[in-house]
Amino acid sequence: MITSTVPKVTRRAQARLGIFMVAPLMILVIVFFLFPLGSSVYYSVVDFDGVTANPPFVGLANYVRMFTDPEVLHALTNNLIWIVIGTIAPLVIGLLLALMLWTVRRGSALYRLAFFFPFVLPGVVIGIVWGWIYDPLSGWLNVALRAVGLGSLVTGWLGNPNTALYAVLATAIWAGFGFAMIIFLSALRNVDTELVDAARLDRTNAAQRLWHVILPQIMPVFLMVTTITLVGGFSVFDIIFIMTNGSIATNVLGTYSYSNAFQLNNISYGTTLALLITALSIPCAVLLNRLQRKLSLQGTSA
Amino acid sequence: MKKVSLLGVGAVLAATAIALSGCTGGAPASNSGSNQITYLIGQPDTPAQLTALKADMKNFEKESGVTVKLNVLPSDTIRTVLQTQLRSGSGPDVFGYDTGAGFAGVLAKAGLLYDLTAEYSKKNYAIYDFAKKAVTFDNKITGIPDQIEEVGLYYNKDMFAKQGLSAPTSLPDLEASLAKLKASGVIPMAAAEKEGYEAGWYLSMALASRAGADTVKGLIAGTGDWSSQDVVDAIDSWKQLNEKGYLPPSVTSIASQNGDALFLSGKAAMYPSGTWLVQTIDSTAKFNAGFIPFPGPDDKGISTTGLGGGIFMSANSKNPKAALKLMDYLASPEHGKYEISQGLIPTFPVSTDGIKVSPLFQQVLTDTAAYAKGTGQVGQNIDVAETDVFNKAMWDGFQAVFNGTMTPTQMAKSLQKASTTK
């Protein structure tokens, strides 16, 4: 049995110091995570309309309603579409642009600025401007389609239930790929170019070099960007709400939760839906985070 | 190593907690002791209207010696923040809010509104009875009703005259006029349904003219059936207008502002909207405009009117004496004249002597006066009298009908279901 040689009084002092060092973080976790989470759980088991001081306890009624509400399934389906397309598209576009800019020397800063610029624009501005672009009568998208003889494709992009979600998604991809590109670009700066050159000497094609040489080296960063984009797909709200006012066609869990909580005064049901978003997104985030850490420990970090 | 005492750790934790709570803010400073009150209102439609309102408040401040801190928020946001503020005791002293059981009624039930019953009898406010009822809950009058609104069809008189048309006198007549206008190459009737709330106006005006004022009254009171044939037909009349191409294409993609622009710019001959647009039309449109009810199947239809909102006082006002002075002012002829000068319709009789009033506005003043005094058949705005759940069903339902994903019968059934949902 191994016994510590550190005196007991010193161990106590170290323990106290440890508590002292951890305390600020714990306070932040309690105030900004555990307390709101506990509060949300409380509101999900009562029937709170936003006004009543002592809402009645309803047990699991809000959860039962959530699992039997057909609109939840519709919103969840929209979330899944958003997560799949809204995660893959910015990653692919961002990675391709980063690879193209990786070796560019002249005008690189200009390209980076141009592609990253949409990301720093406020969501409200993006939503309003793209709303104009999609306007069925005077929006330039329809004007352009008519001009090139594709008048049959003209539609009310944000009002047509078949196109509304994808129109908003396209806007979100436009606004978000710049972030992925910048992060990938900085990760590529740390890629061992000798390995790439060696692979080239081995007569590998570009796709093989990307898949077998470059991607493994930037994988932790790739997973970090994936995590951020994917979790954002669960909680997406602002751009949809701005562009379509949360119409039925574009309802996702975030807008449906908001609509119930703040438009229909059903805070408890809205909170229950918000908890569903949390319950779905946390496992994904944890899983990707663990994978990222594992790869970092294996020494594949960019 | 220096010993760190538990007491010290506790002190640091306490200090951090205090610092954090300081960072998160708290209730705003009390107004008690000062002569200042806070007044929260929804964002007016135009900057000019806000400037005029500020001038009106300056006038009140000069007369009363009370200072008004005016806070302006988008109307949608008010609902989100107001309840929380009022419950935490940090709300505004006076605020604008929707009337009706689903809105101010909820606040009244929770005891968050100041009971103005005694003030009404003491000061003898001349508010119209129908308006007073809209702010009365459990026999307590809780606010000053603010503005009467009428919804109907605006039409471009010049464009109609050019096509040899006059104001439609029945639904078939309206459709014939729209067909002629369409053939002439203009948009027959501008419309907007992107936001969804426009559905409230559309259904209100079509239903009142088809089913009559008493039926609408019964439906709102909960004694009628929203899935009845009258409601189905009223919804269907709009569906028909859309399918026949009299409304702009993709009407559910057109925002209210853009709908306004189509009519104001002279691109569309007609426009379903409300009296809040009168001043803008008078000042912007380069043509003569008329305002008519949505026609009935065999007649010219009836006007559709309702209350725009109300001004309420917090039960926990920090300065009730000063807040009551503002409520007095809001029910005064002086404030009424300000409203008329802004194209708004007061909820109490106000003489228009000495105020320049356009013929269009004079017409709506006459219509709404008939409604306010209880004379003549006048329909009611549905959305301002119904609950959030009903309104959401109406807004979503109209969008679905226009998009072809729901039939008028299905929508009427969903309205009936929503009308019985608490």
Side-chain angles (χ1 to χ4, degrees):
Chain A
M1 186 183 165
I2 301 166
T3 52
S4 170
T5 54
V6 180
K8 205 174 174 183
V9 64
T10 308
R11 282 209 308 274
R12 274 208 301 272
Q14 283 176 334
R16 281 197 291 267
L17 182 65
I19 292 169
F20 177 73
M21 303 290 273
V22 170
L25 179 65
M26 286 312 295
I27 288 170
L28 290 176
V29 169
I30 290 167
V31 172
F32 293 109
F33 181 69
L34 293 180
F35 176 71
L37 187 66
S39 176
S40 299
V41 172
Y42 163 72
Y43 282 120
S44 72
V45 294
V46 294
D47 183 13
F48 184 48
D49 60 5
V51 178
T52 315
N54 296 307
F57 179 75
V58 293
L60 298 176
N62 285 314
Y63 292 91
V64 172
R65 181 181 164 190
M66 181 172 74
F67 289 117
T68 52
D69 183 351
E71 189 52 29
V72 171
L73 188 63
H74 174 241
L76 200 54
T77 308
N78 281 347
N79 266 105
L80 288 176
I81 293 170
W82 190 281
I83 288 163
V84 172
I85 301 175
T87 303
I88 293 172
L91 288 177
V92 171
I93 299 169
L95 183 61
L96 289 176
L97 285 172
L99 287 167
M100 283 193 271
L101 290 178
W102 188 21
T103 50
V104 171
R105 290 287 170 264
R106 294 185 85 181
S108 167
L110 187 70
Y111 285 119
R112 273 182 289 164
L113 187 69
F115 291 128
F116 190 64
F117 185 64
F119 184 71
V120 298
L121 287 174
V124 178
V125 174
I126 292 171
I128 291 172
V129 171
W130 275 84
W132 294 337
I133 292 170
Y134 287 135
D135 186 89
L137 297 172
S138 53
W140 72 251
L141 181 56
N142 279 352
V143 171
L145 284 171
R146 283 192 197 98
V148 297
L150 293 173
S152 59
L153 297 179
V154 163
T155 186
W157 297 95
L158 296 175
N160 182 338
N162 298 321
T163 58
L165 184 69
Y166 300 100
V168 182
L169 194 45
T171 305
I173 292 167
W174 175 84
F177 75 80
F179 167 75
M181 184 206 71
I182 287 290
I183 303 289
F184 289 147
L185 201 55
S186 59
L188 286 170
R189 305 262 186 240
N190 295 326
V191 166
D192 188 347
T193 49
E194 287 181 2
L195 285 176
V196 180
D197 292 338
R200 192 176 281 122
L201 288 173
D202 288 339
R203 296 187 176 178
T204 55
N205 61 33
Q208 287 170 321
R209 285 197 297 279
L210 173 65
W211 188 255
H212 296 289
V213 181
I214 298 171
L215 265 184
Q217 293 190 68
I218 64 166
M219 191 48 77
V221 172
F222 190 86
L223 286 175
M224 184 267 287
V225 178
T226 307
T227 308
I228 292 171
T229 318
L230 191 137
V231 172
F234 279 108
S235 58
V236 59
F237 168 77
D238 53 355
I239 197 159
I240 294 179
F241 196 75
I242 292 160
M243 293 184 74
T244 67
N245 297 302
S247 71
I248 284 190
T250 58
N251 236 355
V252 288
L253 285 174
T255 54
Y256 192 48
S257 167
Y258 175 87
S259 162
N260 273 283
F262 299 112
Q263 293 178 326
L264 303 178
N265 288 330
N266 204 336
I267 305 279
S268 287
Y269 190 50
T271 307
T272 312
L273 292 165
L275 282 172
L276 176 64
I277 300 171
T278 312
L280 292 171
S281 57
I282 285 182
C284 290
V286 170
L287 196 73
L288 286 166
N289 190 265
R290 283 193 176 173
L291 192 60
Q292 182 192 354
R293 196 182 303 168
K294 194 177 161 190
L295 291 171
S296 295
L297 291 172
Q298 284 172 353
T300 52
S301 172
Chain B
M1 189 180 173
K2 198 175 175 182
K3 190 176 170 183
V4 182
S5 77
L6 268 178
L7 195 66
V9 172
V12 172
L13 287 176
T16 313
I18 291 165
L20 276 172
S21 65
C23 288
T24 56
S30 164
N31 291 331
S32 56
S34 76
N35 216 14
Q36 179 178 296
I37 53 168
T38 49
Y39 180 24
L40 174 68
I41 55 156
Q43 182 83 46
D45 290 337
T46 64
Q49 285 173 353
L50 182 59
T51 307
L53 178 68
K54 282 180 178 169
D56 186 47
M57 285 300 105
K58 281 275 171 237
N59 190 34
F60 162 69
E61 287 179 340
K62 206 172 149 189
E63 278 185 7
S64 63
V66 174
T67 307
V68 178
K69 191 172 174 239
L70 189 67
N71 292 330
V72 182
L73 281 176
S75 299
D76 288 347
T77 311
I78 287 187
R79 197 181 302 172
T80 313
V81 300
L82 186 68
Q83 292 183 359
T84 316
Q85 287 185 351
L86 291 175
R87 279 193 305 116
S88 67
S90 62
D93 296 287
V94 180
F95 53 91
Y97 204 60
D98 289 320
T99 55
F103 303 96
V106 175
L107 301 183
K109 203 174 162 191
L112 297 170
L113 300 183
Y114 192 94
D115 183 0
L116 293 168
T117 314
E119 289 298 312
Y120 264 76
S121 48
K122 200 162 82 185
K123 306 280 174 52
N124 211 11
Y125 294 149
I127 308 284
Y128 294 128
D129 278 346
F130 92 93
K132 214 187 296 178
K133 275 183 197 160
V135 293
T136 303
F137 306 101
D138 294 330
N139 297 319
K140 289 177 187 169
I141 310 175
T142 58
I144 304 287
D146 183 41
Q147 298 169 32
I148 301 173
E149 293 171 344
E150 182 181 354
V151 292
L153 298 176
Y154 286 103
Y155 68 104
N156 183 326
K157 282 183 173 176
D158 299 353
M159 212 178 259
F160 265 61
K162 201 174 161 189
Q163 298 299 323
L165 298 167
S166 53
T169 53
S170 68
L171 194 53
D173 188 22
L174 172 70
E175 291 204 15
S177 301
L178 293 172
K180 196 167 184 184
L181 288 160
K182 190 183 175 191
S184 74
V186 298
I187 296 170
M189 185 185 285
E193 232 314 78
K194 187 180 173 190
E195 292 89 351
Y197 58 72
E198 300 88 345
W201 320 332
Y202 300 169
L203 183 58
S204 299
M205 62 176 88
L207 186 59
S209 291
R210 178 174 289 274
D214 291 340
T215 304
V216 176
K217 208 172 173 182
L219 285 166
I220 290 171
T223 56
D225 182 359
W226 283 100
S227 60
S228 65
Q229 196 55 43
D230 278 335
V231 179
V232 174
D233 290 344
I235 299 166
D236 191 56
S237 58
W238 281 102
K239 185 175 186 275
Q240 295 302 322
L241 294 181
N242 188 41
E243 285 181 354
K244 288 173 183 169
Y246 300 146
L247 307 185
S250 309
V251 68
T252 55
S253 302
I254 299 175
S256 192
Q257 236 177 2
N258 295 349
D260 293 354
L262 284 175
F263 180 68
L264 292 168
S265 64
K267 286 182 182 167
M270 300 189 85
Y271 188 43
S273 188
T275 46
W276 51 87
L277 208 61
V278 168
Q279 201 193 25
T280 311
I281 291 173
D282 281 338
S283 61
T284 313
K286 292 184 173 63
F287 53 83
N288 291 309
F291 189 67
I292 55 169
F294 188 92
D298 309 308
D299 55 28
K300 65 174 189 165
I302 59 173
S303 300
T304 303
T305 308
L307 195 62
I311 308 294
F312 300 89
M313 199 177 133
S314 167
N316 301 314
S317 168
K318 306 284 189 309
N319 201 343
K321 222 171 170 179
L324 283 172
K325 282 187 184 175
L326 177 60
M327 302 306 268
D328 273 353
Y329 180 74
L330 295 172
S332 69
E334 202 173 354
H335 178 70
K337 286 199 170 185
Y338 146 77
E339 288 194 309
I340 288 183
S341 72
Q342 291 304 303
L344 307 171
I345 307 163
T347 53
F348 45 88
V350 177
S351 164
T352 55
D353 292 348
I355 307 174
K356 199 179 167 191
V357 176
S358 74
L360 183 60
F361 189 49
Q362 187 61 57
Q363 181 196 330
V364 297
L365 281 175
T366 311
D367 286 349
T368 48
Y371 172 61
K373 288 172 187 162
T375 56
Q377 280 278 304
V378 183
Q380 272 181 273
N381 276 0
I382 295 165
D383 54 356
V384 293
E386 276 294 352
T387 62
D388 294 332
V389 176
F390 183 92
N391 284 338
K392 186 92 172 77
M394 181 166 61
W395 300 349
D396 291 347
F398 245 89
Q399 286 184 334
V401 167
F402 279 140
N403 283 329
T405 55
M406 195 184 252
T407 64
T409 308
Q410 287 171 327
M411 183 188 158
K413 278 182 187 165
S414 80
L415 292 181
Q416 175 61 20
K417 192 180 168 195
S419 73
T420 55
T421 306
K422 279 186 181 176

